[in-house]
Amino acid sequence: MRIRRDRALSALILLPSVVAVGVFVYGFIGWTAYVAMSNWNSFVPDLSFAGLRNFADLFQTPRFQIDLRNTLVFTLTFLAGCLGIGLLLAVLLDRQIRGEALFRNAFLFPMSISFIVGGTVWQWLLNPSTGVNLLLDAAGLGALRSPWYTEPRIAIYAVVIAALWQMSGFTMALYLAGLRGISDELREAARVDGASDLQLYRHVIIPLLHPITLSAAIVLGHVSLKIFDLVFAMTGSGPAFSTDVPGIFMFETTFRGNRFAEGATISIIMLVMVAVVIIPYLIYSSRTEAEA
């Protein structure tokens, strides 16, 4: 009797959260999908059924094609940079250097800043007439001056620099925790077998860090696929849509152009892109835990 009462009480406590998630997450996802298949592209609601025509039209839109290309370039460079820089910083800190706590906090500090603030700061720093270019001039390295985000060919990489500064500390923390979990006996055994430092990391430590690499790639991948605030604050769409991403396209289409069906279509495609990354990882994690 008491067990039933406890179960009923637990269900009653969880019920508001379940209802809230059902309505405000899955309910609005369903509503967005419904609007995406309607003709509502003005102030006046028009929920007549349009099928998949909005999706077909969107993929024929040049701006959206540019957005997909920008997202791919941003995601690949952002992931590679974050994983590489994070691992390098973690390896250096794992050598018990003096002032480790200071460096660790300094590398983690950018994570505490919102993407809006980070984007604004990097907009100033990479302004062609101020910031980094002035430092290069002062150091006698004026030949290295760059137009940064005002040049369409490299603008997206200027945004990647800002994103790396903000998120590399995250991967550093993950890798450092993983390195600290590898026993000294294992390292010594590899050295006794004649492994150099490079061979130790290549054949022993980095393979052991594979689960951390996978987790970091999933988290950073979903961040990059739905990136909005950093790009919006730093460059917006950029010259010739060189830094435009689906999030900015959706915002301008929906809230400035009042084309609600088209904006909802972009949102659904962004959801699918993130789901393609997240769902296989969740399935893999569930199976791994079940087998453990």
Side-chain angles (χ1 to χ4, degrees):
M1 185 66 182
R2 182 173 180 178
I3 293 176
R4 286 183 179 180
R5 188 177 59 192
D6 290 343
R7 287 179 177 176
L9 181 60
S10 300
L12 188 63
I13 293 174
L14 290 174
L15 184 60
S17 299
V18 172
V19 171
V21 170
V23 172
F24 295 107
V25 177
Y26 297 104
F28 279 108
I29 289 176
W31 171 251
T32 303
Y34 180 64
V35 172
M37 290 188 287
S38 73
N39 291 303
W40 188 5
N41 280 313
S42 67
F43 272 120
V44 181
D46 180 2
L47 295 175
S48 58
F49 187 65
L52 299 177
R53 192 187 67 225
N54 289 325
F55 291 90
D57 292 343
L58 184 63
F59 280 104
Q60 299 299 321
T61 305
R63 179 177 177 179
F64 189 67
Q65 295 172 358
I66 295 173
D67 289 356
L68 293 179
R69 186 167 61 246
N70 287 342
T71 301
L72 179 63
V73 172
F74 179 85
T75 300
L76 293 178
T77 52
F78 174 63
L79 276 180
C82 268
L83 294 176
I85 295 173
L87 178 60
L88 177 63
L89 295 176
V91 169
L92 294 175
L93 290 179
D94 191 47
R95 293 180 175 274
Q96 310 290 340
I97 63 174
R98 181 176 297 179
E100 177 195 327
L102 176 64
F103 287 112
R104 190 173 61 239
N105 291 332
F107 296 142
L108 282 173
F109 174 71
M111 276 192 63
S112 65
I113 300 175
S114 72
F115 274 136
I116 288 290
V117 175
T120 303
V121 170
W122 279 97
Q123 183 194 41
W124 295 338
L125 290 174
L126 298 184
N127 187 304
S129 59
T130 60
V132 173
N133 281 350
L134 288 183
L135 293 176
L136 292 174
D137 286 339
L141 300 173
L144 298 178
R145 287 175 60 95
S146 172
W148 301 114
Y149 55 78
T150 60
E151 167 55 54
R153 290 177 302 174
I154 62 171
I156 192 67
Y157 299 108
V159 179
V160 171
I161 291 174
L164 289 177
W165 172 79
Q166 195 131 13
M167 294 302 296
S168 291
F170 169 71
T171 50
M172 180 274 296
L174 291 180
Y175 278 130
L176 186 59
L179 288 171
R180 295 287 162 82
I182 298 174
S183 66
D184 292 335
E185 289 79 7
L186 187 60
R187 300 173 193 241
E188 290 302 322
R191 289 194 176 96
V192 169
D193 289 339
S196 63
D197 280 349
L198 181 61
Q199 291 171 326
L200 173 64
Y201 279 97
R202 181 181 176 185
H203 298 294
V204 179
I205 293 179
I206 290 180
L208 289 174
L209 295 176
H210 175 70
I212 292 176
T213 302
L214 178 61
S215 299
I218 294 298
V219 173
L220 296 174
H222 110 275
V223 168
S224 66
L225 290 174
K226 62 183 184 64
I227 191 76
F228 169 77
D229 36 12
L230 176 68
V231 186
F232 192 78
M234 185 175 174
T235 62
S237 297
F241 298 122
S242 55
T243 59
D244 200 37
V245 290
I248 293 178
F249 190 19
M250 184 278 296
F251 175 78
E252 294 182 349
T253 299
T254 305
F255 301 108
R256 292 179 176 172
N258 299 314
R259 299 193 299 277
F260 296 100
E262 186 178 351
T265 304
I266 300 170
S267 300
I268 292 298
I269 292 175
M270 291 176 63
L271 176 67
V272 171
M273 289 165 57
V274 173
V276 166
V277 174
I278 297 295
I279 291 178
Y281 173 71
L282 294 178
I283 294 174
Y284 169 77
S285 299
S286 299
R287 290 179 178 175
T288 303
E289 291 176 1
E291 293 172 358

